[in-house]
């Protein structure tokens, strides 16, 4: 199979990186592992209480795990995190469309506008996702997110640990930035 030399290979690499970043962010958006909550008991042992994401909270009590809507679903900071994550995903989708048009469309007239739009959308998606992650990290680690249904009186303190979904979201944001940088170096072969 021959590669069409009229396609920007760096643009193609930027598309692949952007798709990978989008997939990671969507998995992070849907999974309930943005942070885990543990209770430090008075005897010094750590008891894992549960885990939570943007849409679902799971609490483990007496060996039974129940999942439901987070107790802080109506908090303003959680709404901001959700909004930034969704806007980042939508902006990344727009970047993917624009980058695809730049890479595969054989028009010279719109080439510069499509390239600048793709760069701006990639960077914008990364910024929005990072803003949401920063808000979540600051709020969950600040103790604003105590799990519902757990008696905090039996523990000396609650410990909040950011988990793998949080990391996936940040990795997706970084890949959006990388895609924007790659797009900046992409050149369109002459027709």
């Amino acid at each position: 199979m021959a590669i069409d030399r009229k396609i920007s290979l760096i643009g193609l690499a930027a598309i692949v990186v952007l798709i990978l970043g989008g997939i990671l962010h969507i998995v992070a958006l849907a999974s309930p592992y943005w942070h885990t909550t543990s209770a430090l008991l008075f005897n010094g042992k750590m008891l894992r209480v549960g885990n939570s994401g943007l849409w679902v909270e799971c609490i483990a009590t007496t060996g039974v795990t129940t999942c439901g809507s987070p107790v802080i679903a109506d908090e303003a900071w959680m709404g901001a995190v959700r909004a930034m994550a969704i806007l980042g995903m939508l902006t990344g989708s727009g970047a993917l469309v624009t980058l695809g048009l730049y890479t595969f469309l054989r028009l010279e007239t719109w080439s510069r506008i499509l390239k600048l739009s793709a760069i701006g959308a990639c960077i914008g998606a990364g910024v929005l996702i990072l803003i949401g992650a920063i808000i979540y990290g600051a709020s969950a680690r600040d103790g604003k997110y105590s799990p519902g249904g757990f008696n905090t009186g039996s523990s000396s303190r609650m410990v909040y640990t950011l988990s793998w979904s949080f990391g996936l979201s940040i990795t997706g944001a970084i890949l959006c930035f990388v895609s924007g940088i790659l797009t900046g170096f992409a050149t369109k072969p002459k027709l």
Side-chain angles (χ1 to χ4, degrees):
M1 182 170 118
I3 296 176
D4 185 3
R5 292 292 174 196
K6 302 242 186 312
I7 295 174
S8 171
L9 293 179
I10 296 176
L12 195 58
I15 288 174
V16 170
V17 169
L18 187 60
I19 289 172
L20 180 61
I23 289 170
L24 291 178
H25 180 63
I26 289 171
V27 168
L29 199 60
S31 64
Y33 289 95
W34 277 59
H35 85 268
T36 58
T37 305
S38 301
L40 180 62
L41 301 177
F42 289 113
N43 62 5
K45 293 184 181 180
M46 290 290 275
L47 174 67
R48 187 172 171 278
V49 177
N51 53 286
S52 186
L54 299 183
W55 314 101
V56 176
E57 173 183 67
C58 297
I59 305 298
T61 53
T62 63
V64 177
T65 302
T66 57
C67 295
S69 181
V71 293
I72 48 81
D74 295 334
E75 295 282 334
W77 67 267
M78 181 57 99
V81 171
R82 289 174 176 171
M84 292 297 120
I86 296 293
L87 286 173
M89 182 185 67
L90 293 175
T91 305
S93 299
L96 185 60
V97 169
T98 310
L99 187 53
L101 288 174
Y102 171 74
T103 304
F104 297 113
L105 199 61
R106 297 178 190 223
L107 290 177
E108 278 299 316
T109 24
W110 293 95
S111 183
R112 182 175 166 93
I113 293 171
L114 288 172
K115 182 176 183 176
L116 292 175
S117 298
I119 292 170
C122 286
I123 291 173
V127 166
L128 288 169
I129 294 168
L130 279 181
I131 288 172
I134 289 169
I135 294 169
Y136 191 91
S139 298
R141 297 196 48 101
D142 205 17
K144 295 178 186 168
Y145 200 145
S146 74
F150 179 74
N151 181 8
T152 56
S154 63
S155 64
S156 61
R157 72 183 175 99
M158 301 300 286
V159 178
Y160 305 95
T161 307
L162 297 174
S163 194
W164 60 269
S165 291
F166 181 80
L168 279 183
S169 184
I170 291 177
T171 304
I174 291 169
L175 289 177
C176 286
F177 288 126
V178 169
S179 179
I181 292 168
L182 284 174
T183 304
F185 289 111
T187 56
K188 195 101 162 149
K190 299 293 181 195
L191 295 175

